[in-house]
Amino acid sequence: MRASSAIPKTLLWVYVALLVLLAATVGLATVEWGWLGLVVALGIAVTKAVLIVWYFMEVRDASRLTLITIGAACFWLGILLVLTLSDYLTRGWNPAVGK
Amino acid sequence: MTDEQSVLEPQFHDLAQQREVAWLGMWVFLATEVLMFGALFTSWAAYHERSAGAWAKATAELSLITGTVLTAILLTSSLAVAYAVHAAKAGQRRPVIIGLMVAAGLGLVFIGLEGWEYSHLIQARKWPDSHFQFPGPDAGQVKLFFGLYVSMTGLHMCHVLVGVLLVGAAALGTILGRWPTKRPHAIALVGLYWHFVDIVWVFLFPAYYLIGRHG
């Protein structure tokens, strides 16, 4: 029996969710949020990325080794961001030291 | 799904291990790509911290509609690729070809639209070269914004182009009956790359088109 060649519902729903998140992030950007705007935009972007990784890239069915690899990539990125920004964001905190 | 067409290479124990190694190899490569783009995003973050006011003016120079359309194009192309991968596993040849060609086509549209955006920047003298013009004391920081913008979106565009070539090759191979329907894993690997390129743009879009822009 031929399987249906229609787009699987899961993929369609993920796509719809991605478009909704896109609309949300664009809509929210038109409002003044201050520093919270960056947090919200980043949060929505991370959510979209997780949806793509989990469903489109089939990580929900992946082996533990794959998950560890992805975790390692995120961890390395985390080190890069944390160490770099902890320098830049704290410049000027101690007036005696200078910028 | 049968694997008669997949040849077991001698260094692998069985086909399952061979597939897992290929899968892991692509993920490790994507991890290196995370680091490459991550370093550029870190640069963005470091400079954004000290240039937020000036960069808000720079963001206003970019068209929100264009950025939104670019994002929608890539998200749709990811759906097309995911569909093709699913169809390949089910052994359906036509949906694979349709999905891959739609994705490749959308990729080309993305590149064209991005190029159009670049031409606008050049005309508006916002391209970060010697012709750059911006009124006021923020000119230096705005030029830095566009320097990073061109670097990161340019690098991303190169990745999209490579992706289009890979997806196009997969589509061609399927049309010719050579591979992917008999080796769904090959399409899944190409799909991983394409989805990653989409994810990079998912972060590029807010970084340059959204953050700091308010109505």
Side-chain angles (χ1 to χ4, degrees):
Chain A
M1 175 131 166
R2 248 186 100 77
S4 164
S5 61
I7 300 178
K9 281 218 178 75
T10 312
L11 295 183
L12 268 177
W13 278 117
V14 170
Y15 177 63
V16 167
L18 288 171
L19 289 182
V20 166
L21 286 170
L22 175 60
T25 199
V26 170
L28 291 170
T30 59
V31 177
E32 164 78 64
W33 287 94
W35 64 267
L36 194 58
L38 195 146
V39 173
V40 169
L42 196 63
I44 292 180
V46 167
T47 307
K48 280 196 225 165
V50 166
L51 280 173
I52 294 173
V53 167
W54 194 250
Y55 288 103
F56 285 176
M57 295 171 97
E58 301 174 318
V59 168
R60 62 179 165 157
D61 303 321
S63 65
R64 257 174 300 193
L65 204 43
T66 304
L67 290 169
I68 289 172
T69 307
I70 298 169
C74 295
F75 183 62
W76 293 330
L77 183 62
I79 294 173
L80 179 61
L81 283 167
V82 166
L83 291 187
T84 306
L85 291 179
S86 65
D87 175 357
Y88 280 97
L89 292 180
T90 60
R91 291 199 181 177
W93 278 16
N94 187 348
V97 175
K99 292 196 196 235
Chain B
M1 193 67 238
T2 59
D3 286 305
E4 291 110 356
Q5 303 293 322
S6 289
V7 174
L8 178 62
E9 300 289 334
Q11 68 269 33
F12 297 113
H13 188 258
D14 54 30
L15 277 173
Q17 188 198 27
Q18 181 170 307
R19 276 197 299 272
E20 177 67 13
V21 166
W23 193 251
L24 202 57
M26 178 54 86
W27 270 111
V28 169
F29 166 66
L30 292 181
T32 68
E33 294 272 276
V34 166
L35 285 182
M36 178 169 66
F37 280 102
L40 290 168
F41 275 108
T42 306
S43 303
W44 177 92
Y47 283 114
H48 180 263
E49 188 271 325
R50 54 190 54 209
S51 313
W55 279 20
K57 296 178 195 169
T59 300
E61 297 280 336
L62 291 171
S63 163
L64 182 61
I65 294 173
T66 306
T68 307
V69 169
L70 287 169
T71 311
I73 287 173
L74 279 190
L75 290 177
T76 309
S77 71
S78 267
L79 173 68
V81 166
Y83 172 54
V85 170
H86 168 85
K89 285 192 182 148
Q92 299 159 347
R93 203 163 152 268
R94 237 175 125 249
V96 171
I97 296 169
I98 292 171
L100 292 177
M101 293 197 69
V102 165
L106 286 172
L108 288 174
V109 171
F110 179 91
I111 291 171
L113 191 55
E114 185 76 49
W116 186 70
E117 175 96 284
Y118 284 0
S119 73
H120 270 232
L121 283 182
I122 293 170
Q123 276 173 1
R125 293 198 182 253
K126 294 298 173 289
W127 190 263
D129 60 4
S130 55
H131 303 292
F132 179 84
Q133 275 178 9
F134 193 82
D138 293 324
Q141 289 177 328
V142 170
K143 191 174 183 183
L144 178 63
F145 174 93
F146 283 108
L148 275 173
Y149 172 79
V150 167
S151 304
M152 291 182 74
T153 58
L155 183 64
H156 177 260
M157 197 164 31
C158 292
H159 281 74
V160 173
L161 184 59
V162 168
V164 167
L165 292 173
L166 284 173
V167 169
L172 191 63
T174 308
I175 291 171
L176 295 175
R178 293 252 171 85
W179 54 291
T181 30
K182 303 259 197 257
R183 295 170 62 182
H185 216 61
I187 295 195
L189 291 177
V190 168
L192 280 186
Y193 181 83
W194 188 264
H195 293 311
F196 175 75
V197 170
D198 187 12
I199 288 174
V200 170
W201 181 262
V202 160
F203 286 96
L204 277 177
F205 174 57
Y208 288 102
Y209 287 87
L210 298 181
I211 290 169
R213 178 196 300 262
H214 35 82

